[in-house]
Amino acid sequence: MANRHDRARIQKGALTAEQAEKLFATVDETGHTNEETAKKQRKRRKELGHGVDVDPLSDADPSGSNVEKVITKTAVGFVIVFLAIVVVSQVSCGLVRRANTADLAENADLTSVASALHGGVEWGNGFTQFPDTFSVQEADENTHRIEVTVVDTTSQNALEAFSGAQIQATAFAVNSLLNPNINTVTYHVNVHVDENGKYQQSALFGLLQPKGEVKTIMTFVWTKTTNENGVVRFNCTITGLDQNMQDQLRDNITSSFTPTSVISNVLGTSENEKDSKSESKADSATSSTEAAAATSDESATSSDGGSSATVESTSSSAQ
């Protein structure tokens, strides 16, 4: 049996559930059941500027403010306008660049070659740019030659200079050799070096140029030949790579992280290969010395004519 204190206390004069539901069914937005009173309340709110009907279950701002919607629309509009400007700028720049790029296959003179080096040439699916500092030594369809010189101010070592110059020289030379009146393209690559021979680079987005000594590190010579069957052949010759330059390229390409170096260090074959090469060179030198001594002995015991013939044969073999 439940305790007296546990029972719910019913307030005297309280509405039952049915009575409360019936009462609130007649209540409008003003909170009044009497139509005359509700009408007066609506008129009063309208005159005082509080004539907005508020729905408590609605997400709308009771004050009627739409700042959130305005901010959202503004942000979306800004993003759309920004993307449109970017797309239009890219398309416009591409069209302007293609319109201003010199067509070396049609015309190759000093002006067109300088324009190509300044604005770049089409290569692959885009453009290949060249260093900002360049000069044109020759560009003449009568002599069938083009010769230019560029100054690389962005590379830090021989490998960067070689890889970048190779792409630039190939793009420039192929575009030029497509001209039927051009058969030879010479592309010189210069760099600035300090007193220690280290490459110098430009600074502040190219505004500050290096002041070191200008040195030619390599030259690409492209030639075009056509055989009797009409087959066109492009040939590339790289000159100017001294022993120091070759050593730098070899050190940069064959680093300690290449698979051959790692395997050699693990298996310990590098030193053995060096020793075997040294031994083979020593054996070759020894055998050559013994052969020369034997030849000298034989020539001493033969006649004068035979001795002369033997000396001539030895000399020709040495050469």
Side-chain angles (χ1 to χ4, degrees):
M1 183 175 180
N3 253 342
R4 179 179 176 184
H5 298 289
D6 294 339
R7 297 177 183 176
R9 182 181 178 183
I10 301 176
Q11 187 177 359
K12 186 177 181 180
L15 298 176
T16 62
E18 295 179 356
Q19 291 174 345
E21 184 178 356
K22 183 178 180 181
L23 175 62
F24 282 102
T26 60
V27 174
D28 60 2
E29 71 278 0
T30 62
H32 296 84
T33 58
N34 190 292
E35 293 184 2
E36 294 294 332
T37 305
K39 185 177 180 180
K40 294 178 181 180
Q41 186 66 25
R42 292 194 191 96
K43 182 178 180 181
R44 177 176 177 276
R45 291 182 179 181
K46 186 176 182 181
E47 291 176 353
L48 297 178
H50 298 283
V52 179
D53 296 333
V54 177
D55 185 1
L57 300 179
S58 175
D59 293 335
D61 193 337
S63 64
S65 175
N66 58 350
V67 175
E68 183 179 357
K69 294 181 180 179
V70 172
I71 293 176
T72 303
K73 292 180 179 179
T74 304
V76 173
F78 175 79
V79 172
I80 294 176
V81 171
F82 178 77
L83 292 177
I85 292 175
V86 171
V87 173
V88 171
S89 300
Q90 290 181 343
V91 174
S92 301
C93 291
L95 294 176
V96 171
R97 172 174 284 182
R98 280 176 168 79
N100 294 332
T101 299
D103 190 359
L104 299 180
E106 297 294 334
N107 181 28
D109 53 18
L110 294 176
T111 303
S112 61
V113 170
S115 176
L117 291 175
H118 176 73
V121 296
E122 292 191 28
W123 185 247
N125 294 328
F127 280 82
T128 296
Q129 296 291 334
F130 300 94
D132 295 333
T133 304
F134 61 85
S135 60
V136 182
Q137 285 75 44
E138 182 181 3
D140 192 350
E141 293 184 356
N142 296 322
T143 61
H144 313 295
R145 291 178 53 85
I146 294 178
E147 183 175 0
V148 299
T149 301
V150 299
V151 181
D152 185 359
T153 58
T154 59
S155 300
Q156 298 181 358
N157 50 51
L159 182 60
E160 290 185 9
F162 182 80
S163 59
Q166 186 178 17
I167 297 175
Q168 296 166 4
T170 302
F172 178 77
V174 172
N175 277 267
S176 302
L177 292 177
L178 291 177
N179 189 317
N181 297 320
I182 300 298
N183 296 330
T184 303
V185 176
T186 304
Y187 188 90
H188 302 284
V189 181
N190 295 350
V191 295
H192 289 273
V193 295
D194 56 14
E195 59 275 5
N196 298 324
K198 185 178 180 181
Y199 292 4
Q200 295 181 340
Q201 296 84 39
S202 58
L204 291 178
F205 305 100
L207 298 178
L208 297 179
Q209 294 295 325
K211 302 299 183 181
E213 178 186 357
V214 178
K215 175 184 177 182
T216 302
I217 58 174
M218 66 188 72
T219 298
F220 296 84
V221 181
W222 281 80
T223 58
K224 177 181 66 178
T225 57
T226 306
N227 60 13
E228 298 177 353
N229 298 326
V231 178
V232 179
R233 175 177 297 176
F234 290 170
N235 299 314
C236 177
T237 303
I238 304 176
T239 62
L241 295 177
D242 55 9
Q243 187 62 39
N244 186 24
M245 182 74 172
Q246 296 181 30
D247 293 339
Q248 293 182 26
L249 291 174
R250 188 180 298 106
D251 293 338
N252 290 326
I253 295 175
T254 311
S255 64
S256 58
F257 298 99
T258 55
T260 54
S261 300
V262 174
I263 294 174
S264 299
N265 292 331
V266 172
L267 300 179
T269 56
S270 57
E271 295 297 332
N272 295 333
E273 291 177 355
K274 292 180 180 179
D275 295 340
S276 61
K277 290 180 179 179
S278 301
E279 292 177 359
S280 61
K281 290 181 179 179
D283 294 340
S284 300
T286 304
S287 51
S288 299
T289 304
E290 293 177 353
T295 304
S296 302
D297 295 339
E298 292 178 358
S299 61
T301 57
S302 61
S303 60
D304 295 337
S307 176
S308 299
T310 304
V311 172
E312 292 175 359
S313 176
T314 305
S315 301
S316 62
S317 297
Q319 292 176 355

